[in-house]
Amino acid sequence: MKTLKLGLLGFGNAGRAFAKILEDKKQEIMDSFGYNIIVTGITTGSRGNLYNADGIDLKKAWCELEGQGHFNKAGSDYSQMTSMELVENGEYDVIVEMTPLDIFTGQPATDHLRKAMGRGKHAVTANKGPIAWYYNDLKKLADKMDVQFYYETTVMDGTPIFNLKDETLKFCKVTEINGILNTTTNYVLEELAKGKAYDAVIAEGKKIGFVEADPSMDIEGWDAAAKVTALLNVLMEAGITPRDVDRTGIENITIEDIEKANEQGKIIKLLCKGTLENGQVVASVKPTLVEQGSLMSVIDGTSSVVQITTDLMGKLTIIEHDPELVQTGYGIFSDVLRIVRNLV
Ligand SMILES: NC(=O)c1ccc[n+]([C@@H]2O[C@H](COP(=O)([O-])OP(=O)(O)OC[C@H]3O[C@@H](n4cnc5c(N)ncnc54)[C@H](OP(=O)(O)O)[C@@H]3O)[C@@H](O)[C@H]2O)c1
């Protein structure tokens, strides 16, 4: 039996959802691929860190965080190792980047990935910042160091999009991408359409967890811009950053706009788009009128959609219906599994 060691950066909702699937599928992976996957390091921002080169008890780790909100300082694996120290000096084969997104810099996640791959380690990221800001550099580094680098969870959780292109649509050229990639704006537009005031919708959304404490990244279209940038950088080799996206959020949409659209048999959705113009990829995020009853009009709540137009396979549409955390965990798991399968 071979061993594959993982270093986990971040152990929040995504990290724990991934850890639970990994633990659950441990025996199946051993039986199918002859690999025992263990976690040697876990770092967090403020809840302590764990390190054990022979493997951490994962179940104990998530029980401690979910029970008392931090790792047990008296535990034998409790460590002072910071994220960068783990990346630079820890014993692991794959770094799994699951720290919070900084939408304007892609840091410190990008540096974590750079250092790890620079050491010849494989890398997986759930954090879209590095793919939106530095995809080309990171891909070049992965190729130079001959390591595997995957990022399925960065757009639409575990929904296979990057995977689909890599594995199933090989040599298909993607010529256009359309989608609804931000679910907070779905929710806000739907609630506004019920005649509720903007402030009331945001307050209610925060209470039920559909709207972030600071909603501006979603409402102003930055989150959607980062996601469409990630898609375009990987699928269309765009080489752009979120700042290159022609971006308009929904902050100025009024009930009058929604009613006017309704009178024309339309509704407003925050659409993402990437097309080729004179050989250059041009990207936009904009509130757009779509026909009631059309495919885009029925993507609501926490669902999202991406439409990929290709030269050899025409237009393909992938919808993620009402995702929960398990889909996020699975996206990270599927990337790790891909590494294992390629190592066998
Ligand atoms: N949640 C989803 O459904 C989902 C879906 C797709 C992608 N993602 C991406 O996955 C990443 C994690 O999301 P999440 O939902 O798990 O967020 P989260 O619940 O806020 O967890 C973030 C984790 O990262 C830790 N952290 C903060 N700064 C760190 C640092 N410098 N080094 C190491 N750990 C650090 C946090 O520790 P403290 O709690 O101590 O601060 C926490 O454990 C984000 O980039 C997000 O965009 C999430």
Side-chain angles (χ1 to χ4, degrees), residues 77-335:
D77 296 340
Y78 196 83
S79 164
Q80 297 302 329
M81 207 182 238
T82 64
S83 292
M84 200 42 113
E85 284 165 359
L86 171 64
V87 170
E88 288 181 321
N89 308 316
E91 213 180 291
Y92 62 89
D93 304 298
V94 184
I95 204 73
V96 185
E97 164 51 58
M98 301 176 290
T99 66
L101 167 71
D102 183 325
I103 216 159
F104 296 116
T105 65
Q107 293 293 12
T110 302
D111 283 347
H112 293 155
L113 297 170
R114 274 193 186 125
K115 290 276 179 198
M117 291 197 284
R119 284 184 70 194
K121 310 295 184 185
H122 306 295
V124 167
T125 181
N127 187 326
K128 60 185 162 284
I131 308 301
W133 287 95
Y134 297 104
Y135 172 71
N136 281 353
D137 290 356
L138 292 168
K139 178 76 178 78
K140 263 187 220 149
L141 178 62
D143 291 346
K144 181 178 151 206
M145 298 305 295
D146 197 20
V147 295
Q148 300 182 61
F149 173 43
Y150 301 127
Y151 30 78
E152 192 60 74
T153 323
T154 58
V155 181
M156 284 165 71
D157 313 308
T159 306
I161 299 171
F162 299 120
N163 229 313
L164 181 78
K165 173 68 173 70
D166 280 356
E167 304 274 346
T168 315
L169 298 176
K170 257 196 169 22
F171 299 118
C172 269
K173 187 174 159 60
V174 177
T175 54
E176 184 171 323
I177 292 175
N178 289 282
I180 297 176
L181 300 172
N182 180 270
T183 56
T184 303
T185 44
N186 269 350
Y187 167 79
V188 172
L189 288 169
E190 279 156 42
E191 294 301 300
L192 286 177
K194 292 176 189 164
K196 296 181 186 172
Y198 180 82
D199 289 347
V201 171
I202 296 293
E204 212 174 293
K206 281 185 191 175
K207 248 190 236 160
I208 56 175
F210 276 12
V211 175
E212 297 279 341
D214 173 5
S216 59
M217 292 300 109
D218 292 308
I219 301 296
E220 292 170 15
W222 280 108
D223 176 74
K227 285 177 178 158
V228 77
T229 302
L231 282 176
L232 295 170
N233 282 345
V234 180
L235 301 183
M236 292 177 73
E237 296 170 11
I240 59 172
T241 76
R243 291 207 190 276
D244 299 315
V245 177
D246 179 7
R247 177 189 51 80
T248 308
I250 63 160
E251 63 273 26
N252 295 322
I253 300 291
T254 61
I255 183 66
E256 288 75 27
D257 296 327
I258 292 172
E259 281 167 357
K260 203 169 146 201
N262 204 15
E263 282 161 20
Q264 298 166 11
K266 296 185 173 161
I267 63 172
I268 301 172
K269 290 283 184 191
L270 188 68
L271 289 196
C272 302
K273 193 178 184 73
T275 46
L276 277 173
E277 276 177 28
N278 304 321
Q280 291 284 312
V281 176
V282 177
S284 65
V285 169
K286 280 183 182 170
T288 307
L289 290 176
V290 301
E291 295 289 335
Q292 279 174 9
S294 67
L295 184 61
M296 289 292 172
S297 77
V298 296
I299 305 301
D300 52 19
T302 57
S303 298
S304 41
V305 61
V306 67
Q307 220 164 45
I308 303 172
T309 307
T310 70
D311 57 349
L312 302 175
M313 274 300 294
K315 195 184 275 186
L316 300 167
T317 304
I318 305 155
I319 298 173
E320 182 183 42
H321 297 272
D322 306 322
E324 296 189 1
L325 274 174
V326 67
Q327 275 91 333
T328 302
Y330 185 76
I332 302 162
F333 174 77
S334 71
D335 281 347

